[in-house]
Amino acid sequence: MDIAIITGASSGLGREFARHIADRYQRLDEIWLIARRHERLEVLASELAPSTHTALRVVPLDLADSSSYGRLGKLLADAKPVIRVLVNNAGYEREGLLRDMRPADMLAMIDLNVKGVTMVNRVFLPYMSRGSFEIVTGSVSAFAPMPWQAVYGASKAYVRSLVFAIREEEHPRGVNIMLLSPGNMDTEMNVRGSGGGKIGMLPYLDLAGTVKRSLSLAERGCGEYTPMTFYKAYRLLAKLVPSTLMARFTRLNSGGANGRGL
Ligand SMILES: NC(=O)C1=CN([C@@H]2O[C@H](COP(=O)(O)OP(=O)(O)OC[C@H]3O[C@@H](n4cnc5c(N)ncnc54)[C@H](OP(=O)(O)O)[C@@H]3O)[C@@H](O)[C@H]2O)C=CC1
Ligand SMILES: CC(=O)[C@H](N)C(=O)O
């Protein structure tokens, strides 16, 4: 049985990936939609069902919760699928001065963006084989230290390092892993116009275009995709300039520039 799996499918970028995957890979036997909000996933599955022959499986799980990995392992052991497409996308973001942040928010970012993204790989990679590919959603926030997004940025820097390492591990057996590093997207996490910092004034990506291009690049074996010239230039700048200076630059563009600090 050939399947695709999308984490964080209940909204934003993940939901867009689910729509495009259902349309683009009509020969899949199943698409598994994972997130916490069960009803949202059911609505998406019923929206997609009329236009695809692929079965849609709703898998409501909290990927920050360690017990979920065992439950996924059991599902996989029962179904014994070949995972053709994996979109490891679920993520959580809260901003603020680290010394003022709610510990629960900080832990939620670490538990999902670091532990969850890692364990999704551990659980699913053994079921991928030659020709399969994975897209992992990082962020431009990984390129340089981000005051007011210190934990989030660091969690995405972890993702970036993890992806490039396991990409090499998987390359010999023909499984491609691609890091997608988006800039601003108008989703529940980052509703356009809602933030106080200057980061919200930076360009927003087109979700459909980002998803289409990500899928075609990952199919072709690409390792890294940062949409938009603006964010590609920022990636290059962050490579050339020392991190301590970059952090000063990113502070001026963050919530801190407005004294927001949440
Ligand atoms: N929006 C932006 O500007 C940017 C976003 N990103 C990254 O893009 C990815 C997608 O985010 P985006 O679509 O923007 O935001 P959304 O908030 O719209 O989507 C986040 C998704 O992750 C799911 N999720 C959150 N917590 C958990 C959890 N504990 N277990 C399982 N699923 C969870 C949510 O579903 P549910 O609540 O139902 O569990 C939802 O489906 C994230 O990794 C984010 O960090 C990167 C750069 C910029
Ligand atoms: C560009 C951003 O700061 C965004 N909020 C993100 O999630 O990385």
Side-chain angles (χ1 to χ4, degrees):
M1 175 169 78
D2 285 351
I3 71 167
I5 299 179
I6 300 113
T7 74
S10 62
S11 69
L13 185 66
R15 186 167 54 194
E16 196 69 23
F17 265 112
R19 289 184 177 135
H20 284 261
I21 286 170
D23 183 52
R24 189 176 180 113
Y25 307 111
Q26 294 272 348
R27 288 204 184 144
L28 289 171
D29 297 297
E30 283 191 9
I31 299 176
W32 294 12
L33 305 170
I34 302 181
R36 291 168 302 179
R37 286 171 293 177
H38 190 211
E39 329 71 54
R40 287 285 204 100
L41 296 177
E42 292 290 355
V43 169
L44 176 63
S46 51
E47 258 174 46
L48 298 180
S51 52
T52 178
H53 298 298
T54 305
L56 294 145
R57 190 188 291 217
V58 166
V59 186
L61 278 179
D62 182 350
L63 292 172
D65 178 348
S66 298
S67 69
S68 298
Y69 317 132
R71 288 164 66 192
L72 278 174
K74 172 91 179 59
L75 276 181
L76 290 164
D78 290 345
K80 295 183 184 52
V82 176
I83 302 171
R84 291 286 165 212
V85 181
L86 169 60
V87 183
N88 189 348
N89 163 76
Y92 185 72
E93 184 201 18
R94 284 291 178 272
E95 297 179 16
L97 286 176
L98 186 138
R99 67 170 181 270
D100 291 338
M101 286 188 80
R102 288 190 335 132
D105 281 335
M106 296 161 68
L107 289 173
M109 282 187 273
I110 294 168
D111 284 346
L112 181 62
N113 304 356
V114 175
K115 184 178 77 177
V117 167
T118 308
M119 289 309 293
V120 161
N121 276 292
R122 176 62 188 90
V123 170
F124 292 134
L125 278 173
Y127 289 86
M128 299 179 81
S129 65
R130 187 160 293 282
S132 300
F133 68 85
E134 174 182 359
I135 296 171
V136 186
T137 308
S139 166
V140 296
S141 298
F143 298 158
M146 297 282 293
W148 275 267
Q149 280 188 25
V151 177
Y152 179 74
S155 74
K156 292 294 188 176
Y158 171 92
V159 170
R160 186 173 164 78
S161 174
L162 179 85
V163 168
F164 294 148
I166 59 175
R167 172 180 162 73
E168 280 312 305
E169 293 179 4
E170 296 304 318
H171 181 73
R173 67 182 190 115
V175 173
N176 184 43
I177 308 184
M178 186 183 87
L179 178 71
L180 164 63
S181 302
N184 277 325
M185 297 184 291
D186 187 6
T187 62
E188 284 176 20
M189 178 184 286
N190 186 21
V191 176
R192 198 194 288 243
S194 68
K198 289 186 192 160
I199 287 176
M201 288 152 72
L202 301 180
Y204 277 73
L205 306 184
D206 163 55
L207 282 192
T210 300
V211 163
K212 261 195 229 162
R213 183 94 179 119
S214 298
L215 290 170
S216 61
L217 289 173
E219 279 168 15
R220 285 188 265 146
C222 178
E224 181 172 22
Y225 175 40
T226 304
M228 280 191 145
T229 310
F230 176 86
Y231 291 113
K232 286 184 178 74
Y234 173 59
R235 189 179 77 191
L236 180 64
L237 184 74
K239 236 186 211 166
L240 299 175
V241 175
S243 294
T244 44
L245 281 183
M246 280 307 293
R248 187 146 303 169
F249 170 75
T250 53
R251 176 173 66 91
L252 296 174
N253 290 294
S254 71
N258 293 359
R260 182 171 56 143
L262 300 180

